[in-house]
Amino acid sequence: MEHPAHAPGHAALLIEECGVLVAGDMLSDVLIPMLDDTADPLEDYLVGLRLLEGVAGDVEVLVPGHGSVGGADQLRVRIDQDRAYVHALRDGHAPDDPRIGPSAKPGWEWVSDVHNGQAQRVARRSERDETR
């Protein structure tokens, strides 16, 4: 399933016969949504989340590209968590996300730096859009 989230041409693979979703670089329990430098990276990510949400009822096992494998219950939790992160960036709020800050899993603390960079880029983009 090709979609624009994370990077143009990013894809996820649903193996329907066994209910496995290989999510690529999405739905991680250790990485936040990593946005590409497209015209509207936040909406692109939300499009990808909606696509994955559309097949959630067929999924028994979630395999992200990074982090731990999860069951069907984790799929919905991670979709909601990623959506909340993207909405917080869009709305200019600090996300309440366990993948960043002091609650990040050991070894993944650097994800906070990625978040800070993304938040700055989104804020600059928002300021440019407001001045147009």
Side-chain angles (χ1 to χ4, degrees), residues 28-31 33 49 74 76-86 96-99:
S28 173
D29 61 334
V30 291
L31 282 177
L49 290 174
Q74 276 298 299
R76 293 191 186 279
V77 166
R78 293 183 194 184
I79 288 171
D80 291 345
Q81 187 174 43
D82 281 1
R83 183 176 289 123
Y85 176 84
V86 172
D96 180 21
D97 195 304
R99 298 170 292 187

Side-chain angles (χ1 to χ4, degrees), residues 37-117:
D37 190 22
T38 61
D40 194 350
L42 297 171
E43 182 55 32
D44 288 346
Y45 213 93
L46 293 172
V47 166
L49 290 174
R50 286 191 295 269
L51 178 74
L52 298 178
E53 190 171 43
V55 300
D58 300 326
V59 175
E60 295 178 33
V61 177
L62 165 65
V63 182
H66 306 276
S68 63
V69 171
D73 59 330
Q74 276 298 299
L75 173 63
R76 293 191 186 279
V77 166
R78 293 183 194 184
I79 288 171
D80 291 345
Q81 187 174 43
D82 281 1
R83 183 176 289 123
Y85 176 84
V86 172
H87 285 173
L89 280 184
R90 180 196 65 195
D91 299 340
H93 300 122
D96 180 21
D97 195 304
R99 298 170 292 187
I100 56 177
S103 59
K105 289 188 179 179
W108 293 91
E109 296 89 354
W110 58 269
V111 174
S112 294
D113 295 334
V114 173
H115 161 68
N116 292 335

